[in-house]
Amino acid sequence: MTDALLPAAPQPLEKEGNCYFRKGCNPLAQTGRSKLQNQRAALNQQILKAMRMRTGAENLLKAATNQKVREQVRLELSFLNSDLQMLKEELEGLNISVGVYQNTEEAFTIPLIPLGLKETKDVDFSVALKDFILEHYSEDSYLYEDEIADLMDLRQACRTPSRNGAGVELLMSYFIQLGFVESRFFPPTRQMGILFTWYDSLTGVPVSQQNLLLEKASILFNIGALYTQIGTRCNRQTEAGLESTVDAFQRAAGVLNYLKETFTHTPSYDMSPAMLTVLVKMMLAQAQESTFEKVCLPGLQNEFFLLVKVAQEAAKVGEVYRQLHTAMNQEPVKENIPYSWASLACVKAHHYEALAHYFTATLLIDHQLKPGEDEDHQEKCLSQLYGHMPEGLTPLATLRNVHQRQLLGKSHLCRAITHHEESMREASLCKKLRNIEVLQEVLSAAHQRSQLKYTQLREDDDLLNLTDAPDIISKTEREVEIILPQFSKVTVTDFFQKLGPLSVFSANKRWTAPRSIHFTAEEGDLGFTLRGNSPVQVHFLDPYCSAAAAGTKEGDYIVSIQDVDCKWLTVSEVMKMLKSFGQNDIEMKVVSLLDATSSVHSKCATYSVGMQKTYSMICLGIDVDDKTDKTKKISKKLSFLSWSTNKNRQKSASTLCLPSVGVARPPVKKKLSSPFSLLNTDSSLY
């Protein structure tokens, strides 16, 4: 149902052998999930239009003085707010469309909640990057057209990742590539003029910013979202499938937690620290739920010690969902979390607490202590099951007394029935949950099972004799935990490695334009030594040698010899090349690093329709320190949500380990026109 291809796209384009699409991406695959994502993209556009109209009406209301006009504007505003609320409810319906993401082989399991991918608009890197290459690197920008096209194709492919490991690797490779791009082309002293726009996955509100950190944070969010979709797709009827589910949700929690700690001032509700904290809790809760399902997978045997274990595992799941429901109802998350998600968390909390009491009742009622059995072991297990025994009861006395066991077991059944009824009531209050048939079937079957067992043991004086059953201590043999993203396992080659080693040739450093040096080696002596390693520097320069007379300086970087690029060559390779010319004239190009110059004060406006003021405008302040006039200084101005504070920039840089870049570079080839140009670029097709 979810990933069955429909004959909507030309078949030849889907073949991997033709290299039409990158591995991990196929935008022409018409699946249930892609259709859902298309609906999300369309809703985002409608929400944007409605919010712009509402903003215009609010401005008109402030400016109008005529009372009749003001009344008409108020009426129009009421209609716009109503339409906007309906659109957001429709978006919430897409967020709870869990059936599309579930495995088709599942028959009787409670659905898990996946995250939808964030939508984005097209971005054109070509103009800004070409200008920067010409201005900053003093190179012909047209030599890098293929590299820029590769970067744009990779970004386009990341809008439609496949729901498997290849899709995750695709997103991770783009995230790492953005680290290279940031170091190469995004200096901290100015903006590049590239506007990135991403839509909030929960509210549909667009956020636009001329800052690459928004792009990186959104890609990280989509990596976590893709992990959740992989987890819901796994077959939860097998042990291997459940293990994959647990692993996927733990990795999703790790990515979202990494996003929360690395990008702490994101101007989007779905990536705010408070929301990410709740989403991490939700991923871990679903991983814990899958762990419980794995314990119950072989089929529960009516055995005392196994039932104790299962009861405590169920209590653990109920506890984490109870904590999740509490977190979802806290400000400011409560306003933006889908109501159906909070309702489902409450339903699951009651459901698993009911299961814990049912299994406890079963072990008390169905198992009588017989002579020769391990009495001490059972007493220890029962005492560890409760925080405290009911008044007047002890574990050993309860095990030995059949009547007490039955009374305590029926008390647990009563609590189980109460929790089952509460879970069914909560599910009935939410329209979205009422439409999930498998959820209603699971809740009803569990309630009927507890009701039937109590009916078989019910007596007329139960209301007088039964006491309140104690709470069950939660315990698990496998505590789920976050798994941090492992970017180091993804091999990525810098698209722009021809510019030179990143340690020297980056946006943070400035140098002179390449200078041509014509000199000869006198009697085999170059007149200088070399040091460093890719690129090589001139060291110990003889001031009377021909190279010094031609303009060479100590510390110059050698970028080419006789028009052969030397940026990636080692000291021994450069020395061998220089000595190979003997007494002949040598043409060498060098560059010199410049001292840090005064930077240009710049601001970055973040456009976010309908959001609070603190989220809608972000001004990035940069220190200006003019070394020629030390008395004139401009203090740093930081906004509440500044993305470019030195603290956050250092923290982000410290967590990203850039992979090594190979020396070899394949020859430049002219790329064919991209098949993505055939697609509608205004919204995602996946």
Side-chain angles (χ1 to χ4, degrees), residues 118-120 195-200 204-209 214 218 266-271 606-609 611 615-616 618 643:
K118 289 173 70 71
E119 290 290 329
T120 184
L195 188 66
F196 300 98
T197 301
W198 287 86
Y199 292 89
D200 192 298
V205 176
V207 175
S208 298
Q209 191 179 48
L214 174 62
S218 300
T266 50
S268 181
Y269 288 128
D270 57 354
M271 295 191 295
T606 299
Y607 172 68
S608 178
V609 181
M611 301 182 74
Y615 279 86
S616 62
I618 298 178
W643 273 46

Side-chain angles (χ1 to χ4, degrees), residues 2-3 8 36-37 77 165 181 194 249 274 290 361 392 395-396 432 440 466 530 561 598 628 631 655:
T2 47
D3 286 315
L36 196 67
Q37 202 67 29
L77 268 175
V181 172
I194 302 176
F249 280 109
S290 300
L396 186 58
K432 306 299 181 184
Q440 300 295 331
L466 294 182
L530 303 178
I561 299 174
S598 59
T628 60
T631 62
T655 55

Side-chain angles (χ1 to χ4, degrees), residues 237-416:
Q237 301 297 325
T238 64
E239 185 174 352
L242 283 170
E243 186 63 36
S244 299
T245 301
V246 174
D247 180 74
F249 280 109
Q250 288 182 129
R251 292 185 183 277
V255 172
L256 296 176
N257 189 70
Y258 176 84
L259 171 60
K260 181 188 70 172
E261 294 181 351
T262 307
F263 303 92
T264 55
H265 299 95
T266 50
S268 181
Y269 288 128
D270 57 354
M271 295 191 295
S272 64
M275 180 63 74
L276 289 174
T277 299
V278 172
L279 293 180
V280 169
K281 287 180 180 292
M282 186 170 75
M283 299 307 116
L284 293 179
Q286 295 188 127
Q288 194 68 58
E289 181 182 2
S290 300
T291 300
F292 169 77
E293 293 177 351
K294 187 178 177 182
V295 173
C296 302
L297 186 62
L300 288 178
Q301 299 178 358
N302 200 347
E303 193 267 329
F304 184 88
F305 300 112
L306 179 60
L307 290 174
V308 170
K309 174 184 175 181
V310 173
Q312 291 187 310
E313 289 280 358
K316 179 66 177 180
V317 179
E319 179 184 55
V320 295
Y321 272 114
R322 180 69 60 191
Q323 295 171 354
L324 174 62
H325 181 254
T326 302
M328 285 180 169
N329 284 279
Q330 302 295 322
E331 297 291 346
V333 175
K334 182 179 180 180
E335 299 299 325
N336 298 306
I337 203 78
Y339 172 71
S340 51
W341 288 9
S343 298
L344 185 57
C346 184
V347 167
K348 289 189 175 184
H350 284 294
H351 175 71
Y352 285 103
E353 288 173 3
L355 291 183
H357 285 287
Y358 172 79
F359 291 129
T360 304
T362 302
L363 70 89
L364 288 170
I365 295 172
D366 294 354
H367 293 276
Q368 309 300 329
L369 188 62
K370 299 177 182 179
E373 290 188 343
D374 192 347
E375 186 177 278
D376 293 339
H377 193 187
Q378 288 196 13
E379 179 187 7
K380 181 180 179 180
C381 287
L382 189 61
S383 62
Q384 293 177 349
L385 192 61
Y386 302 121
H388 60 85
M389 291 289 293
E391 186 177 356
L393 298 180
T394 62
L396 186 58
T398 303
L399 287 172
R400 290 174 176 175
N401 192 313
V402 177
H403 182 65
Q404 286 185 2
R405 290 178 70 139
Q406 280 210 346
L407 288 178
L408 185 57
K410 286 192 288 185
S411 298
H412 280 290
L413 283 176
C414 289
R415 284 201 64 177

